[in-house]
Amino acid sequence: MTTSFGSATSTVIPNDPKIRMQSFTGLKSLHSIALARNHRVFPLPFSTPSVIRAVSTPVKPETSTTEPKRSKVEIFKEQSNFIRYPLNEEILTDTPNINEAATQLIKFHGSYQQYNRDERGTRSYSFMLRTKNPGGKVPNQLYLTMDDLADQFGVGTLRLTTRQTFQLHGVLKKNLKTVMSTIIKNMGSTLGACGDLNRNVLAPAAPLMTKEYLFAQETADNIAALLTPQSGFYYDVWVDGERFMTSEPPEVVKARNDNSHKTNFPDSPEPIYGTQFLPRKFKIAVTVPTDNSVDILTNDIGVVVVSDDNGEPQGLNIYVGGGMGRTHRMEATFPRLGELLGYVPKEDILYAIKAIVATQRDHGRRDDRRYSRMKYLISSWGIEKFKTVVEQYYGKKFEPFRELPEWEFKSYLGWHEQGDGALFCGLHVDNGRVGGKMKKTLREVIEKYNLNMRITPNQNIILCDIRSAWRRPITTVLAQAGLLHPKYVDPLNLTAMACPAFPLCPLAITEAERGIPDILKRVRSVFEKVGLKYNDSVVIRITGCPNGCARPYMAELGLVGDGPNSYQIWLGGTPNQTQLARSFMDKVKVQDLENVFEPLFYYWKQKRQPKESFGDFTARIGFEKLKELVDKWEGVVQTPPARYNLKLFADKETYEVMDELAKLQNKSAHQLAIEVIRNFVASQQNGKSE
């Protein structure tokens, strides 16, 4: 028997043909439509308690008797014995790569198979490992371990991601088990950092000791624990079944096991996920009012702590339906901001989160992965229907959303007080890439002072628990390694982000991380040309493909790879990441970017309102007018006089040497000289004080 509810259908496949296990029947709707399950029996090549297939496809006439279409990944999951097979066999073979099914399954273990796209001919396969660090927290021991692994088994660098985790690139298949087991045994994990399940839970990285910030971090930790896979596949594959799990708070265990509203698969090794896990990746962020360091509206679920007048947390506002990924030239795919769902008391947050996840699990599309994120389910249903279904799994109504103050982007760079007598120091890292002298110096500091660290959602580092007496020596040694006080870093760099893209990402269409340094220098040159001030900053984000890993659709100026050496330009995001950008121009070649940048920045300089950001300016003027200005652009009419007219070169010989060096970096002699002087002054200032 099969009955529909919305568009959900599922199948229970018992292991023993003689035994039919009770299936998960979900909840009744407000109209008492049952979530029935169709029972079918198939033999399986291995022993597993139950295989639960939840499939959601577009609504079709009830007369249809055809089997719902499923993506290939759904079949891989179904036949995997809870994400074990064939990965457990593939990693033992002598080949440098793994097969298609294992390539999909290893994502759940926190790894992607990659190959060097700069090379021609035979593919050089390697693996990228991504850690899972709720709230970006990295214990001292784990950082030192990751630093060692990068040198011994990786490409010699670590990368900080936009979801507060590490990425370790270049690990060979023969070393995978060694690297994975080492991470696990040193307070780390990669479980669920990729794959169709809850990814790393974001929270403000600042180690502030206020009740709100501590509660936000605790909530992020508890949500991460609640949604961590329970079937043990990760430990079976990488540490031969040995468990390295820390004790969980009783409220997490209670919430996970609670099935009073039919959120769980009874008797399944994965009570929340079942055999099929989720239709696609799932992202959650937690924060406090005003602090939008986590890009709260870009997540499937955004959670905001609400406190009373004494700063005591009382409950949480919930947003749902954010997501960045899209596909070029497919208008049915789109970036989307989260929208308001409601408010829950603090003791109910885990149950509310579980209800939302169960709704996406049972109703999200599984036929086409391009439309499998929760944002498409909400866009299809509308927020009211979605809320009604979630409330059935939650078991109660959501309370009205509590009013919040305006959001701000907070980077937490520089020195700050934690609130417990200690200090923390936020360090800017260009594109999150830690290598060379910077990596060596960071290790020395973290090891010498026994510091813990945190990773920010903007790919930066926060060193925690620093004594006041350590401030000057730490500042000096960091500055000498290029980790400067933020006032000495170009403002354009401070807010910029890029995804790794080439050479290892298989989805990249063009450059991002490797291309952004030159693009930022060119934007700075355009600023100077049109008369913008040094501190007139713009949030710039670049990705090598439309999946949006660096969240370009929230940027004031987003560049999204849409062809070889070509970008789609997005405009209209805001500095506090509360407004979605829109596509402005397609197929702009990298060498032609100034033809677009110059008129846009020139008219922003000339026509902006007081304190109007670039993103707000482009939204106010409108794209039709902006395109007209770009099309008619004939160059800067008159460059405003420089504020200071300093003669930098006393003789021709010095100028010629500087000019030759500058050309190697695509700069003018004047630009390079100014940069050298700024860096020298910065190192001197950092050496003296803060």
Side-chain angles (χ1 to χ4, degrees):
M1 183 183 82
T2 302
T3 309
S4 69
F5 176 67
S7 57
T9 309
S10 72
T11 304
V12 176
I13 310 173
N15 178 46
D16 187 342
K18 299 177 183 178
I19 302 174
R20 292 183 181 274
M21 297 182 66
Q22 184 178 1
S23 65
F24 167 58
T25 56
L27 277 182
K28 293 183 179 180
S29 72
L30 294 181
H31 303 290
S32 299
I33 302 177
L35 282 172
R37 297 301 193 239
N38 179 33
H39 294 257
R40 304 177 67 186
V41 177
F42 297 100
L44 294 178
F46 43 75
S47 176
T48 180
S50 65
V51 177
I52 304 165
R53 180 192 302 166
V55 182
S56 186
T57 57
V59 177
K60 295 179 180 178
E62 291 297 324
T63 56
S64 174
T65 58
T66 60
E67 179 78 8
K69 179 185 175 185
R70 292 188 297 156
S71 71
K72 187 184 293 186
V73 177
E74 290 297 315
I75 297 171
F76 289 152
K77 288 188 286 186
E78 177 180 294
Q79 298 176 349
S80 71
N81 187 18
F82 293 96
I83 320 299
R84 292 176 175 85
Y85 174 84
L87 176 62
N88 53 355
E89 296 181 358
E90 283 289 304
I91 62 171
L92 300 178
T93 65
D94 293 332
T95 60
N97 62 316
I98 55 179
N99 67 20
E100 184 182 7
T103 299
Q104 292 297 329
L105 299 179
I106 200 170
K107 296 177 184 179
F108 291 76
H109 296 255
S111 179
Y112 283 88
Q113 179 171 266
Q114 301 179 328
Y115 63 92
N116 191 336
R117 297 177 64 187
D118 282 346
E119 296 179 356
R120 295 293 177 262
T122 304
R123 290 183 174 181
S124 298
Y125 286 98
S126 65
F127 291 80
M128 177 272 283
L129 275 61
R130 183 185 296 153
T131 59
K132 203 169 184 184
N133 310 87
K137 291 187 294 188
V138 182
N140 175 276
Q141 180 181 337
L142 178 60
Y143 180 80
L144 298 178
T145 298
M146 296 302 297
D147 181 83
D148 286 336
L149 291 174
D151 291 337
Q152 294 174 26
F153 301 104
V155 296
T157 65
L158 285 170
R159 196 169 196 282
L160 316 174
T161 76
T162 58
R163 291 201 71 78
Q164 299 184 275
T165 65
F166 288 116
Q167 282 185 180
L168 180 63
H169 290 93
V171 179
L172 299 180
K173 188 177 107 174
K174 66 181 182 180
N175 297 323
L176 266 176
K177 194 161 185 177
T178 298
V179 175
M180 285 284 201
S181 61
T182 301
I183 292 172
I184 293 168
K185 293 173 183 177
N186 286 275
M187 305 175 69
S189 176
T190 64
L191 173 59
C194 325
D196 298 342
L197 69 177
N198 178 53
R199 301 290 185 87
N200 196 51
V201 181
L202 302 188
L208 296 170
M209 296 296 161
T210 68
K211 293 178 181 178
E212 281 188 322
Y213 275 87
L214 291 172
F215 183 71
Q217 190 72 58
E218 178 188 346
T219 301
D221 291 340
N222 286 348
I223 292 172
L226 172 74
L227 299 177
T228 294
Q230 299 296 300
S231 55
F233 63 81
Y234 180 65
Y235 301 98
D236 287 348
V237 172
W238 305 113
V239 287
D240 301 322
E242 186 178 357
R243 297 296 186 103
F244 287 82
M245 301 178 73
T246 57
S247 60
E248 295 179 319
E251 61 266 30
V252 172
V253 177
K254 181 181 178 183
R256 183 190 297 120
N257 294 335
D258 180 79
N259 196 29
S260 55
H261 302 291
K262 306 301 181 185
T263 52
N264 289 18
F265 292 109
D267 304 317
S268 171
E270 293 290 353
I272 296 177
Y273 290 126
T275 307
Q276 299 304 104
F277 287 78
L278 298 180
R280 198 73 196 274
K281 59 186 174 184
F282 200 89
K283 298 180 176 180
I284 301 175
V286 183
T287 192
V288 303
T290 76
D291 187 340
N292 199 18
S293 60
V294 299
D295 259 354
I296 190 75
L297 300 177
T298 66
N299 291 270
D300 291 87
I301 303 177
V303 179
V304 187
V305 177
V306 177
S307 302
D308 61 20
D309 293 339
N310 297 319
E312 190 68 48
Q314 300 297 308
L316 303 104
N317 281 341
I318 299 177
Y319 295 91
V320 291
M324 293 286 97
R326 49 178 287 277
T327 303
H328 283 315
R329 290 169 290 284
M330 293 191 67
E331 296 302 316
T333 65
F334 45 80
R336 188 181 192 276
L337 296 186
E339 55 185 308
L340 309 179
L341 184 69
Y343 168 92
V344 298
K346 63 182 182 181
E347 60 271 14
D348 285 351
I349 185 57
L350 297 181
Y351 299 90
I353 293 291
K354 189 178 172 187
I356 297 168
V357 170
T359 301
Q360 163 65 357
R361 176 196 68 199
D362 293 344
H363 300 282
R365 285 181 59 171
R366 294 179 184 260
D367 62 321
D368 189 334
R369 291 176 66 80
R370 283 173 296 193
Y371 305 104
S372 294
R373 291 289 298 276
M374 193 171 75
K375 65 181 178 180
Y376 295 114
L377 176 63
I378 296 175
S379 294
S380 172
W381 279 4
I383 191 64
E384 288 306 317
K385 177 178 178 179
F386 180 81
K387 184 177 181 180
T388 297
V389 175
V390 172
E391 285 175 341
Q392 295 174 61
Y393 288 105
Y394 177 37
K396 59 180 74 173
K397 296 284 187 181
F398 287 102
E399 297 180 31
F401 201 80
R402 304 298 196 259
E403 288 296 318
L404 295 175
E406 189 73 19
W407 290 109
E408 301 173 22
F409 168 72
K410 298 185 178 183
S411 70
Y412 296 108
L413 296 176
W415 288 93
H416 306 269
E417 294 184 358
Q418 291 182 178
D420 60 355
L423 305 172
F424 70 88
C425 181
L427 305 173
H428 170 71
V429 181
D430 278 338
N431 307 311
R433 183 66 68 176
V434 181
K437 187 176 181 181
M438 177 198 302
K439 179 171 172 289
K440 183 175 182 291
T441 302
L442 266 176
R443 181 188 181 92
E444 290 172 356
V445 170
I446 289 171
E447 200 166 26
K448 178 177 179 179
Y449 297 99
N450 195 30
L451 301 179
N452 297 316
M453 64 168 282
R454 297 190 182 185
I455 303 170
T456 81
N458 244 50
Q459 302 172 291
N460 295 320
I461 286 173
I462 290 178
L463 300 179
C464 309
D465 308 313
I466 302 172
R467 297 179 188 175
S468 297
W470 300 343
R471 178 170 176 167
R472 177 179 285 188
I474 287 177
T475 299
T476 301
V477 71
L478 291 175
Q480 291 169 350
L483 289 162
L484 306 174
H485 190 285
K487 67 183 177 183
Y488 300 119
V489 180
D490 190 320
L492 291 172
N493 291 57
L494 288 177
T495 55
M497 289 201 296
C499 70
F502 286 118
L504 293 176
C505 179
L507 302 176
I509 303 171
T510 193
E511 298 285 2
E513 181 184 336
R514 295 195 305 195
I516 195 173
D518 180 62
I519 290 174
L520 292 176
K521 289 171 187 173
R522 290 163 62 188
V523 171
R524 174 57 63 198
S525 294
V526 172
F527 269 37
E528 294 174 357
K529 186 174 182 179
V530 303
L532 285 165
K533 296 178 181 178
Y534 183 70
N535 290 324
D536 284 327
S537 190
V538 171
V539 177
I540 299 173
R541 295 177 176 177
I542 303 178
T543 58
C545 83
N547 282 329
C549 291
R551 303 190 286 272
Y553 309 118
M554 301 300 289
E556 294 182 275
L557 172 61
L559 303 183
V560 180
D562 66 352
N565 299 310
S566 173
Y567 294 99
Q568 190 176 70
I569 295 180
W570 287 64
L571 301 174
T574 52
N576 66 352
Q577 281 88 63
T578 57
Q579 185 168 289
L580 200 63
R582 293 186 295 125
S583 176
F584 177 63
M585 295 184 74
D586 294 332
K587 299 288 184 182
V588 179
K589 289 294 184 181
V590 67
Q591 64 267 25
D592 297 329
L593 289 172
E594 280 85 351
N595 297 337
V596 181
F597 292 169
E598 278 190 18
L600 293 178
F601 292 141
Y602 176 80
Y603 285 105
W604 176 43
K605 167 73 166 59
Q606 300 297 324
K607 305 294 184 181
R608 63 183 171 182
Q609 296 175 351
K611 297 185 178 180
E612 186 175 37
S613 70
F614 177 70
D616 285 334
F617 166 79
T618 57
R620 177 174 62 83
I621 297 297
F623 283 12
E624 187 176 339
K625 177 64 176 176
L626 292 176
K627 286 179 180 175
E628 181 183 325
L629 295 174
V630 170
D631 290 341
K632 293 181 178 180
W633 180 248
E634 295 181 355
V636 178
V637 177
Q638 181 181 359
T639 303
R643 184 177 176 187
Y644 301 108
N645 185 20
L646 299 178
K647 187 174 181 180
L648 291 173
F649 303 103
D651 60 274
K652 183 180 179 182
E653 183 179 352
T654 303
Y655 170 79
E656 288 176 345
V657 172
M658 186 65 77
D659 187 52
E660 193 172 325
L661 290 170
K663 286 177 180 176
L664 296 175
Q665 302 181 38
N666 296 318
K667 301 174 184 175
S668 68
H670 183 272
Q671 285 176 312
L672 182 56
I674 288 293
E675 191 173 303
V676 170
I677 292 170
R678 281 185 181 140
N679 288 341
F680 174 75
V681 172
S683 65
Q684 295 299 306
Q685 291 291 331
N686 276 317
K688 289 180 183 178
S689 59
E690 55 184 311

